[in-house]
Amino acid sequence: MNVEKIMNDLAKKNPGEVEFLQAVREVLESIVEVVEANPQFEEASIVERIVEPDRVIMFKVPWADDNGKLHVNRGFRIQFNQAIGPYKGGLRFHPSVNLSILKFLGFEQIFKNSLTSLPMGGAKGGSDFDPKGKSNTEVMRFCQSFMLELQRHIGPETDVPAGDIGVGGREIGYLYGMYKKLTREHSGVLTGKGLNWGGSLIRPEATGFGCVYFAQEMLKSKGQSLKGKVVSISGFGNVAWGAALKATELGAKVVTISGPDGYIYDKEGISGKKIEYMLDLRASNQDIVKPYSYEFGAEFHEGKRPWEVKVDVALPCATQNELSGDDAKKLVANGCICIAEGANMPSTPEAIEVFHKSKVMFAPGKASNAGGVATSGLEMSQNSMKLNWTSEEVDRRLLEIMVNIHAACVKYGTEKDGYVNYVKGANIAGFMKVANAMLDLGYVN
Ligand code: NDP
Ligand code: 2IT
């Protein structure tokens, strides 16, 4: 398998799609040996087929603000691969959203969803709509207009969207309300729903909880635990909140959170009502963490990222490419032994290289943040059965799924010297299932 040739062809076909090409390269470099050991994959051009989305849907989203002024945003849904189940993946509302970012996220989702062991294909969508500073009614009108078009392309057995950056419980409510109005159906077409209208317990916490469960498994493999460990977290959104909650519950001390304005260093630990305060910060739609320093008297480091703080464990939970090679060097120099990604692709390729060379434990998002989509899968199961599991039941299944993903990474990623390359392990384990399904199903996509 000639990775450079495939990457050159892809770069020509998708000019300027930097994030998408970054995500594809990482996967291809990991799977070379299994593709070469399985000539049937090359004969069926599985790799060339898996890097091409089944379908890219791009549409106009017109909406009126509270003053009656009309705005036009761009909406997307990338239906990447449905070999193992209906398309599944979140919706992101953020001004930085473009085709490259959603294609990278949709591509990652194929392998992540495969790792969960649940029947879900890969997809992603969203809009360049900026929720910052928008009123509730503006967000509602935008969501309704977005769904007016999206509803043609989704369905409980076709494509099941969920939340991501800028899309939480409120937005899922407005989207689902419009879907129901248009289709006259109460189906599980979205996940992350509210508890009163088909949602699952633990889904809001699931990505952060899953990430901490994964970190716990990594530490356990070295005879250690989270108890007494100092942890840095980036972001202050849904994933960061869940991760802070679970890490604290398991006896760790979380000392940082961050926003686009800088990071908070709270040496006393971010616990109890301070974690709940993160929800107020997000709900304010202001997108800054600085107010935490007034509220609780902690240090605020303007314009900086939290990776300069001395910690044992780091959980990047904000966004892509937020941890550079230099940041990785600082973490390693300060004695950090375990990095588990809560966000999607937060570490740059240079950072990953530093982690691997230093032989510290590093888990890529597609493995360590899979708890969110896995619990979405559990929400779909409950919707199909028309019953609700208890939070203990959902949490137990989530933990089991994360333990199994960790085991799959160890199985496929252990190198000769015993070091576990979780990137390689996750990519191979995720790829094998999808590739074999594509072989079984014929050359349909
Ligand atoms: P939220 O919207 O709740 O929070 C996102 C956080 O990242 C905010 O702090 C946000 O601040 C910050 N952020 C977003 N974009 C940028 C940017 N371009 N530069 C700097 N900071 C940024 O989203 P989530 O917590 O849901 O998502 C966080 C990460 O986790 C994302 O990578 C997402 O893809 C991933 N993820 C989410 C899952 C879920 O279930 N929600 C599941 C698996 C992964 P601001 O908005 O001000 O920029
Ligand atoms: O990146 C992700 O896995 C998510 N945003 C969650 C997707 C989902 O369908 O729950």
Side-chain angles (χ1 to χ4, degrees):
M1 173 179 151
N2 187 339
V3 174
E4 291 315 317
K5 172 159 187 340
I6 299 172
M7 288 309 304
N8 281 338
D9 291 349
L10 210 59
K12 264 191 222 137
K13 237 179 169 176
N14 305 282
E17 295 187 8
V18 183
E19 294 85 0
F20 174 56
L21 296 170
Q22 179 185 338
V24 173
R25 176 176 284 281
E26 185 213 275
V27 171
L28 298 197
E29 285 177 351
S30 295
I31 61 171
V32 173
E33 61 190 69
V34 292
V35 172
E36 289 180 351
N38 290 276
Q40 69 277 22
F41 292 158
E42 288 205 82
E43 277 158 29
S45 301
I46 293 291
V47 173
E48 288 79 357
R49 283 159 57 199
I50 214 168
V51 299
E52 190 68 16
D54 289 353
R55 203 167 292 105
V56 173
I57 301 154
M58 194 165 105
F59 51 96
K60 176 160 69 180
V61 190
W63 59 280
D65 67 22
D66 290 343
N67 298 317
K69 185 173 165 17
L70 203 77
H71 300 265
V72 179
N73 282 98
R74 190 170 271 185
F76 301 88
R77 187 70 180 165
I78 318 293
Q79 297 180 333
F80 224 114
N81 188 295
Q82 61 157 351
I84 63 169
Y87 300 110
K88 180 84 195 88
L91 296 172
R92 176 178 290 192
F93 292 169
H94 196 273
S96 63
V97 160
N98 58 32
L99 195 56
S100 171
I101 289 182
L102 294 182
K103 278 174 70 182
F104 116 64
L105 289 162
F107 183 72
E108 289 283 285
Q109 204 79 43
I110 304 172
F111 308 98
K112 185 196 302 194
N113 293 3
S114 166
L115 284 170
T116 66
S117 76
L118 300 172
M120 301 182 290
K124 200 82 186 190
S127 175
D128 57 1
F129 173 74
D130 186 0
K132 199 177 195 161
K134 301 291 186 302
S135 73
N136 204 37
T137 48
E138 286 171 336
V139 170
M140 187 194 299
R141 278 197 296 277
F142 176 80
C143 288
Q144 291 174 339
S145 181
F146 185 85
M147 186 51 87
L148 206 51
E149 175 64 30
L150 186 69
Q151 56 99 16
R152 300 172 209 278
H153 310 288
I154 60 175
E157 305 297 338
T158 310
D159 183 353
V160 183
D164 193 80
I165 291 178
V167 179
R170 175 181 64 166
E171 290 74 20
I172 294 292
Y174 297 151
L175 291 163
Y176 192 47
M178 191 62 172
Y179 181 86
K180 274 156 59 98
K181 171 105 176 166
L182 292 166
T183 59
R184 296 183 296 149
E185 270 180 16
H186 187 108
S187 61
V189 75
L190 291 165
T191 58
K193 297 187 291 299
L195 287 179
N196 293 330
W197 33 279
S200 172
L201 286 160
I202 305 291
R203 178 63 188 89
E205 296 89 343
T207 311
F209 276 22
C211 180
V212 172
Y213 290 151
F214 199 94
Q216 184 177 241
E217 283 305 296
M218 295 164 88
L219 291 166
K220 212 194 245 176
S221 73
K222 299 272 181 214
Q224 301 201 36
S225 80
L226 272 163
K227 204 168 167 44
K229 294 279 187 300
V230 179
V231 177
S232 57
I233 292 180
S234 62
F236 66 108
N238 173 262
V239 178
W241 164 75
L245 211 57
K246 184 54 79 178
T248 307
E249 191 186 308
L250 294 178
K253 182 158 89 168
V254 176
V255 293
T256 70
I257 51 170
S258 72
D261 54 333
Y263 78 90
I264 294 287
Y265 173 58
D266 185 343
K267 62 177 186 312
E268 306 301 327
I270 300 169
S271 62
K273 68 175 193 312
K274 295 175 175 176
I275 298 177
E276 295 316 309
Y277 181 73
M278 286 165 71
L279 297 178
D280 295 343
L281 277 179
R282 278 313 279 163
S284 75
N285 266 8
Q286 292 306 309
D287 287 343
I288 47 173
V289 286
K290 195 175 181 181
Y292 182 106
S293 63
Y294 311 134
E295 190 76 17
F296 301 110
E299 287 173 29
F300 173 66
H301 296 263
E302 189 161 1
K304 292 198 161 174
R305 304 198 278 211
W307 315 126
E308 59 192 23
V309 176
K310 181 174 166 47
V311 292
D312 306 305
V313 176
L315 308 175
C317 295
T319 194
Q320 65 276 352
N321 292 329
E322 54 151 325
L323 198 162
S324 68
D326 285 342
D327 293 328
K329 281 183 198 151
K330 282 183 212 155
L331 280 170
V332 172
N334 279 330
C336 179
I337 55 166
C338 172
I339 300 95
E341 295 184 335
N344 286 305
M345 208 168 77
S347 307
T348 63
E350 295 75 32
I352 297 174
E353 201 183 324
V354 171
F355 295 141
H356 282 163
K357 281 206 173 127
S358 318
K359 304 273 174 192
V360 297
M361 292 184 279
F362 168 75
K366 64 169 76 69
S368 45
N369 75 32
V373 74
T375 308
S376 280
L378 300 177
E379 184 173 327
M380 290 164 74
S381 307
Q382 293 170 78
N383 290 160
S384 299
M385 292 187 292
K386 305 211 183 302
L387 53 79
N388 301 314
W389 289 326
T390 61
S391 54
E392 290 75 19
E393 174 74 10
V394 179
D395 199 23
R396 183 187 65 72
R397 288 175 187 263
L398 168 63
L399 174 62
E400 189 179 300
I401 289 169
M402 298 315 295
V403 169
N404 289 341
I405 297 175
H406 183 269
C409 291
V410 171
K411 178 175 170 191
Y412 289 103
T414 303
E415 294 178 340
K416 284 195 191 82
D417 62 359
Y419 176 70
V420 180
N421 182 329
Y422 287 88
V423 175
K424 186 173 162 198
N427 285 332
I428 295 178
F431 171 77
M432 289 301 280
K433 183 173 163 186
V434 179
N436 281 315
M438 287 172 74
L439 277 185
D440 294 344
L441 295 168
Y443 299 167
V444 285
N445 45 41

